[in-house]
Amino acid sequence: MKVAIFSSKAYDREYLTRANSPQTFAQHELLFFEAPLNVNTALLAQNCTAVCCFVNDHVDEAVLRKLATLGVKLVALRCAGFNQVDITAAKKIGITVARVAEYSPHAVAEHTLGLVLMLNRNLHRAHNRIRENDYSLNGLLGFDLVNKTVAIVGTGKIGQVLAQIMIGIGCKVIAHDIEPNIELISKGVRYLPLAELWPQADIISLHCPLIPETYHLINANIISQMKNGVMLINTGRGGLIDTSAVITALKAKKIGYLGLDVYEEESDLFFEDNSNKLLQDDIFARLLTFPNVVITGHQAFFTREALSAISEITIANITHFERGELDQVCIAN
Ligand code: NAD
């Protein structure tokens, strides 16, 4: 099958090409484009039966209609979340949307732990000080994680791994999910309604999908219910957080620590080297001024193991779709 791969980087080319090999019984014609998929670039998929997209490709109804006129039948996402695709429109138009439901929940959960430790022990500031020949400890005072209460919103694949990691460290884990995980309950995780979760948590980590019900889950009203000095971590999706409300809470010291791997306007910033450009996003610029904020550019998934799994599952989805084995395609819905 001829596949147009949008938003592709050198690492996508390397891993997808490796997965698309005779050893895996897959020999699709892969066309790599650095451009993101949008209504202007959709034409690049001319004569392709599938397009392969990532987290910040906007696959709305207009794009889907354009793809359909070009003969595209499959959108193969090389990621887990599918909030960037209008699934209802895709169904109406007759385009199948596949995703990678699970690749390495450990990659994201371990990165989340990295953000917690970095903030908790001020590692980002310590690193800079040492490089400046400054070995003073003022301002670097941290706190033990043991016995602290960690709230996890969304205990699916990633949230479950994080819960186990935090239990291993000696934290109390409380959680909220529309479908509580029996295994985690047996390990001592307490599921609570959100209203009871916020006031108890020392650390809050978001791992639910971005859907209409979870958009701006963290807003001014919810923040007011949190402990003073709470640590908030978001490696889920940017839209889970109202960034302006979080900035207000950081200024008031209501939020004591903020760790982000995702940002609601990240599509204009992340995955590109913008070092020669002026930063135009004033909200993001304000976030960068806080010493107690650590941001990574949507890299929580970015491990060798995860890239291999993402590429293999993406190619397998395309192969199964080509063979009409729809029951084996991981459909996004
Ligand atoms: P998953 O589907 O296994 O788990 C999501 C969990 O959220 C499920 O248990 C589901 O029941 C729960 N949920 C759904 N609606 C909810 C709601 N309203 N309130 C509370 N919980 C709700 O997904 P996953 O693989 O664990 O991934 C979680 C999210 O992490 C993805 O949706 C994606 O947005 C994000 N993600 C980020 C990165 C990254 O690199 N930063 C990588 C992969 C995934």
Side-chain angles (χ1 to χ4, degrees):
M1 188 177 280
K2 200 165 173 178
V3 188
I5 300 167
F6 287 88
S7 297
S8 66
K9 306 288 181 204
Y11 46 82
D12 294 310
R13 183 184 287 264
E14 180 188 339
Y15 279 80
L16 283 166
T17 303
R18 196 182 302 159
N20 184 41
S21 67
Q23 285 92 325
T24 61
F25 304 103
Q27 276 180 302
H28 303 291
E29 190 180 341
L30 306 183
L31 306 179
F32 291 91
F33 299 108
E34 282 186 26
L37 175 60
N38 57 42
V39 82
N40 299 318
T41 60
L43 260 183
L44 292 168
Q46 190 108 41
N47 301 323
C48 292
T49 313
V51 295
C52 177
C53 307
F54 197 46
V55 292
N56 290 328
D57 290 308
H58 293 296
V59 197
D60 58 15
E61 180 158 0
V63 170
L64 287 162
R65 288 205 178 280
K66 194 143 197 182
L67 291 174
T69 62
L70 299 172
V72 170
K73 304 260 182 290
L74 172 71
V75 172
L77 298 173
R78 50 182 193 280
C79 55
F82 51 92
N83 53 286
Q84 71 279 42
V85 184
D86 186 337
I87 297 288
T88 315
K91 280 185 188 150
K92 202 166 56 184
I93 294 164
I95 291 183
T96 302
V97 182
R99 69 177 182 127
V100 182
E102 178 172 350
Y103 43 92
S104 173
H106 298 274
V108 183
E110 289 170 13
H111 189 85
T112 305
L113 174 67
L115 291 175
V116 170
L117 288 170
M118 200 152 173
L119 286 162
N120 168 44
R121 304 306 300 269
N122 287 297
L123 300 182
H124 53 303
R125 299 181 67 200
H127 176 73
N128 288 339
R129 276 191 199 182
I130 299 292
R131 293 168 78 89
E132 301 239 327
N133 216 18
D134 174 357
Y135 307 95
S136 65
L137 297 182
N138 282 336
L140 301 186
L141 191 65
F143 64 85
D144 289 2
L145 288 177
V146 68
N147 293 329
K148 294 296 182 296
T149 300
V150 177
I152 300 179
V153 182
T155 50
K157 289 171 283 296
I158 296 167
Q160 171 165 6
V161 174
L162 181 68
Q164 286 160 345
I165 290 173
M166 300 318 285
I167 290 169
I169 288 177
C171 296
K172 290 177 200 146
V173 177
I174 56 177
H176 177 80
D177 196 302
I178 47 172
E179 287 178 37
N181 178 319
I182 308 294
E183 200 184 322
L184 287 183
I185 293 173
S186 73
K187 290 183 174 160
V189 174
R190 275 190 309 134
Y191 280 87
L192 297 170
L194 285 174
E196 290 178 39
L197 195 90
W198 308 125
Q200 294 190 37
D202 300 299
I203 298 170
I204 296 169
S205 195
L206 306 177
H207 301 284
C208 55
L210 176 61
I211 47 179
E213 304 86 76
T214 60
Y215 176 71
H216 282 187
L217 174 72
I218 305 297
N219 53 46
N221 171 39
I222 295 298
I223 294 168
S224 72
Q225 300 170 43
M226 296 176 185
K227 272 190 186 178
N228 291 336
V230 66
M231 180 187 292
L232 177 63
I233 306 286
N234 187 11
T235 60
R237 282 288 180 269
L240 296 174
I241 285 184
D242 176 349
T243 315
S244 298
V246 163
I247 288 174
T248 304
L250 281 162
K251 285 162 77 176
K253 299 187 181 167
K254 176 74 183 174
I255 291 179
Y257 310 84
L258 177 68
L260 300 179
D261 185 52
V262 287
Y263 169 58
E264 45 185 339
E265 303 300 333
E266 70 177 50
S267 59
D268 292 336
L269 294 171
F270 287 5
F271 305 117
E272 302 300 332
D273 177 0
N274 293 325
S275 55
N276 286 322
K277 296 183 190 161
L278 293 178
L279 178 56
Q280 298 293 342
D281 183 330
D282 291 347
I283 294 178
F284 193 76
R286 183 67 178 98
L287 278 179
L288 297 178
T289 65
F290 293 99
N292 51 348
V293 173
V294 170
I295 304 175
T296 52
H298 208 139
Q299 71 169 84
F301 76 99
F302 200 55
T303 65
R304 285 191 288 271
E305 292 78 2
L307 271 193
S308 294
I310 288 170
S311 304
E312 284 160 18
I313 296 166
T314 301
I315 294 293
N317 277 337
I318 295 167
T319 304
H320 288 308
F321 181 83
E322 184 177 42
R323 293 179 185 159
E325 299 161 351
L326 282 185
D327 55 327
Q328 294 188 60
V329 176
C330 178
I331 306 282
N333 54 27

